[in-house]
Amino acid sequence: MRLVKLDAIDSTNDFLKDLARHKNAENFTVVTAENQTKGKGQMGAVWNSEIGKNLIMSVLVKDFLTDVNDVFNLNIAVALAVIRSLESLKIPNLSIKWPNDIMSADKKVGGILIENSFKSNDSIDSIVGIGINVNQTYFENLPQASSLALQTNTIFDKEALLFSIVDHLKSMLESWETESATLKDQYTSLLFKKDVLMPFQKTDESIFMGTINGITATGQLEILSEDGSPMDFDIKEVKMIF
């Protein structure tokens, strides 16, 4: 594993994407930064982080995805790798708020952004961006945000967490072919508010009551309406109100 440490960068995902494009970067090359000026979240959202307090990292994953219909498999593996690493630190009440938010109780402590590059030879390279709020203790105007430090009253080693996540991710991807069904079940069982009747809002701002049942084979969120009818939603098509 090659580790590139930066003091500041606009986006570790963009830096690693450029590195992979112009050089034959090895699998699991990692870029980390103390400050990220243009951090990205899902669908263009902005990821803000206090300088030096949090884990900001991007990992190059090659030779795992081979089919465009299976891209959510990598999301599952990455989310579980993060969860397992945080479990080893005794972070309480961990869950995954679909598709890629890492929760401790009802607070967001991390997020994942995966960007896939489809090559002319049908291979797929993936840039896995991971942001974990580690030692930051103040979040202005972000009532649902928290950090590992706030959740446990403990200061953590960011680099140790980085290596733990990469080790878990490597192990997960190596065993995917034989353990994919089990790992998908684990992801589903960790879904935030699974089986809890909750209000949801659609893109037209209409609100309905439903329960999260799981995910489809392509990574859509499956919600059961109050009468038990299943509904599938893509990213940004539905919002949980909590």
Side-chain angles (χ1 to χ4, degrees):
M1 168 188 138
R2 179 190 176 194
L3 176 60
V4 179
K5 295 182 179 181
L6 305 171
D7 288 329
I9 192 68
D10 53 356
S11 163
T12 56
N13 263 30
D14 287 348
F15 182 94
L16 184 53
K17 197 184 307 179
D18 189 60
L19 186 68
R21 185 184 301 118
H22 294 100
K23 296 184 180 180
N24 187 24
E26 65 182 76
N27 203 10
F28 295 106
T29 294
V30 178
V31 175
T32 186
E34 293 299 305
N35 182 31
Q36 184 173 240
T37 59
K38 295 181 181 178
K40 294 181 288 185
Q42 286 288 345
M43 304 293 286
V46 176
W47 178 274
N48 291 312
S49 176
E50 189 175 335
I51 297 173
K53 295 291 184 71
N54 302 320
L55 176 59
I56 303 165
M57 61 183 287
S58 296
V59 187
L60 174 63
V61 174
K62 303 163 71 173
D63 306 319
F64 174 67
L65 294 175
T66 57
D67 189 326
V68 66
N69 295 312
D70 295 332
V71 294
F72 200 77
N73 290 345
L74 183 56
N75 293 60
I76 292 171
V78 173
L80 289 177
V82 172
I83 290 286
R84 290 182 179 180
S85 296
L86 298 185
E87 285 176 339
S88 69
L89 299 178
K90 310 299 183 186
I91 309 303
N93 302 313
L94 291 163
S95 63
I96 303 162
K97 184 172 175 285
W98 178 88
N100 288 322
D101 286 348
I102 305 300
M103 309 291 288
S104 174
D106 61 349
K107 300 291 187 179
K108 178 178 175 178
V109 296
I112 299 162
L113 176 67
I114 300 177
E115 299 179 274
N116 298 302
S117 176
F118 302 91
K119 305 296 185 180
S120 57
N121 63 358
D122 294 330
S123 65
I124 302 173
D125 287 354
S126 302
I127 306 295
V128 177
I130 301 171
I132 307 292
N133 296 330
V134 180
N135 296 321
Q136 184 170 336
T137 56
Y138 177 67
F139 296 90
E140 185 176 6
N141 299 321
L142 294 170
Q144 293 179 335
S146 188
S147 67
L148 309 189
L150 283 173
Q151 295 300 94
T152 62
N153 198 30
T154 304
I155 299 300
F156 293 95
D157 184 328
K158 296 181 301 175
E159 188 165 296
L161 177 57
L162 180 153
F163 282 108
S164 175
I165 291 172
V166 174
D167 286 345
H168 280 298
L169 180 58
K170 284 182 178 179
S171 176
M172 204 88 59
L173 298 184
E174 288 170 0
S175 63
W176 183 266
E177 188 171 344
T178 57
E179 297 183 21
S180 60
T182 299
L183 296 174
K184 288 177 180 179
D185 286 344
Q186 290 178 7
Y187 179 94
T188 299
S189 70
L190 285 163
L191 286 173
F192 181 65
K193 300 295 186 182
K194 184 179 184 294
D195 297 326
V196 177
L197 186 63
M198 297 283 296
F200 294 87
Q201 186 178 55
K202 296 181 182 179
T203 52
D204 63 4
E205 298 190 354
S206 63
I207 295 175
F208 68 97
M209 298 296 293
T211 57
I212 293 175
N213 187 54
I215 56 170
T216 68
T218 53
Q220 292 175 304
L221 183 68
E222 183 182 85
I223 298 175
L224 300 181
S225 65
E226 286 187 279
D227 65 5
S229 302
M231 299 175 287
D232 300 336
F233 296 93
D234 280 319
I235 295 172
K236 298 295 184 180
E237 286 186 346
V238 68
K239 175 184 177 182
M240 181 188 298
I241 301 174
F242 71 100

